[in-house]
Amino acid sequence: MKNLDSKITLFKKLSNELLQTFGNLTPEQFEQKSKCHQWAIKDIGSHLIATNGFAINSIQRSVQGDYLPAEGQPNPGSVNSQSMAAGIASRAIQISETDLPNNSELINVLFEMEKSLLNVFLSIDENQWELPAYHPIAKFSPQLFLDISLIELILHSWDINSALDSNYEINSEESKIINQIWLNPEISNWLYTPDETQESELVCDINLSEPLRIITWRDQIVISEIPSNSNLVPNATIEVRENDFPLLISARDNIEIAIEQNRAEISGEKDIIYRFHQWFKGT
């Protein structure tokens, strides 16, 4: 429970910071393009309203013993970030333009949804965190909803704040937590797009404060910590700043540009850079 408590505390902190950011936006900034593809800053608020509502509903159903997809919803594991991207993008824009075109109203609804989701997380008993819960990307649980909510808050806060201030960065605490969340196979499979031209298993080590290993082969990906006694020689090793890796794996940053700017280095098979872009096309 200690790890869960720290994640809930971080969720509350990030949520409050996000709401404060939205509350301080000028009308012009609401319309400003964010760093999230296709979205203005206001569309990120609309997206979080929608995802929070989905999470609340799914978790509450889970606690009641209902984890099956509702009529018309896809089966768990039948979609990934790429296949869902267009629908998610258009839905957020629709909410901003038609359902909540008034900025003050959007902020009020976002405030209520953020607080409601926090209260749902706080209400979950210790023995309920691993209950099955519905999500189209995988067999989920309330704990995975907390993890993916942290991903949403950390990345979308960067999308907003870095559009307003080019010097804004994800901080060290947030980077370490989100980089550990990638270890969940349900999350890593959601991010992953198989490379149909890949003819053999590839291993790519990522040197962070807690190093990660990425192994891919056709439609399979495993992201794990590197065992201290491992004798496996990776095809390539990428040295990257802790707070840049979440941006690289979510396709908000480009590893070639990071190398050119001396924010990353690669040793071993250099063409794994292009594989990396194929595997991780964005969320």
Side-chain angles (χ1 to χ4, degrees):
M1 279 297 292
K2 184 178 179 181
N3 190 36
L4 286 169
D5 289 341
S6 65
K7 285 183 177 180
I8 293 173
T9 299
L10 179 59
F11 177 91
K12 183 177 181 180
K13 171 181 173 288
L14 293 170
S15 178
N16 287 337
E17 290 173 353
L18 177 86
L19 293 170
Q20 184 176 11
T21 297
F22 267 94
N24 291 333
L25 291 174
T26 66
E28 293 75 22
Q29 288 172 330
F30 256 92
E31 303 293 334
Q32 184 174 326
K33 181 176 175 57
S34 78
K35 291 294 184 70
C36 194
H37 183 58
Q38 297 186 13
W39 283 346
I41 288 175
K42 65 180 181 181
D43 300 324
I44 292 177
S46 297
H47 168 67
L48 291 173
I49 288 170
T51 56
N52 286 2
F54 176 80
I56 291 166
N57 177 264
S58 190
I59 293 170
Q60 290 175 337
R61 288 173 55 210
S62 169
V63 171
Q64 295 167 0
D66 181 5
Y67 54 87
L68 298 175
E71 184 176 354
Q73 291 182 318
N75 289 325
S78 60
V79 298
N80 64 12
S81 60
Q82 276 295 293
S83 62
M84 293 178 67
I88 290 172
S90 61
R91 175 58 178 151
I93 294 170
Q94 178 189 3
I95 292 173
S96 299
E97 298 297 331
T98 61
D99 298 338
L100 295 170
N102 181 279
N103 294 345
S104 296
E105 186 179 0
L106 188 151
I107 291 174
N108 289 338
V109 175
L110 179 60
F111 178 89
E112 292 301 323
M113 296 304 291
E114 286 290 318
K115 297 305 177 186
S116 295
L117 183 54
L118 173 61
N119 287 334
V120 167
F121 288 139
L122 291 170
S123 72
I124 297 172
D125 292 336
E126 184 175 355
N127 62 349
Q128 294 176 325
W129 282 102
E130 296 297 335
L131 289 174
Y134 172 71
H135 198 293
I137 69 174
K139 293 180 179 179
F140 247 51
S141 64
Q143 179 170 334
L144 278 172
F145 269 108
L146 175 57
D147 284 346
I148 205 167
S149 296
L150 288 173
I151 291 175
E152 294 268 12
L153 281 172
I154 291 169
L155 291 181
H156 288 314
S157 292
W158 183 87
D159 290 331
I160 295 168
N161 287 297
S162 63
L164 302 172
D165 176 6
S166 60
N167 293 318
Y168 179 86
E169 292 187 330
I170 300 173
N171 71 35
S172 176
E173 176 196 13
E174 296 163 15
S175 299
K176 288 180 180 179
I177 286 180
I178 197 172
N179 287 338
Q180 286 297 302
I181 291 175
W182 309 130
L183 300 179
N184 289 319
E186 294 85 356
I187 303 295
S188 57
N189 279 296
W190 167 59
L191 288 169
Y192 177 59
T193 300
D195 184 349
E196 301 299 334
T197 68
Q198 185 174 327
E199 297 180 349
S200 61
E201 178 182 277
L202 289 174
V203 180
C204 179
D205 286 355
I206 311 294
N207 273 357
L208 306 167
S209 61
E210 298 179 20
L212 301 179
R213 171 163 288 164
I214 301 172
I215 302 177
T216 66
W217 173 229
R218 295 187 178 175
D219 62 345
Q220 298 179 356
I221 180 171
V222 175
I223 302 179
S224 65
E225 296 177 340
I226 301 175
S228 58
N229 59 349
S230 174
N231 294 319
L232 180 62
V233 178
N235 297 87
T237 298
I238 296 174
E239 303 265 357
V240 63
R241 299 192 312 164
E242 194 93 34
N243 53 1
D244 280 341
F245 187 64
L247 305 178
L248 291 170
I249 202 172
S250 63
R252 285 165 166 79
D253 196 1
N254 183 293
I255 195 167
E256 293 175 83
I257 293 174
I259 291 171
E260 290 173 2
Q261 296 176 346
N262 297 317
R263 292 184 290 112
E265 295 180 4
I266 184 169
S267 57
E269 298 176 18
K270 301 293 192 295
D271 63 353
I272 211 163
I273 293 173
Y274 309 108
R275 301 285 188 185
F276 192 95
H277 290 308
Q278 172 62 39
W279 300 332
F280 305 113
K281 292 186 173 182
T283 55

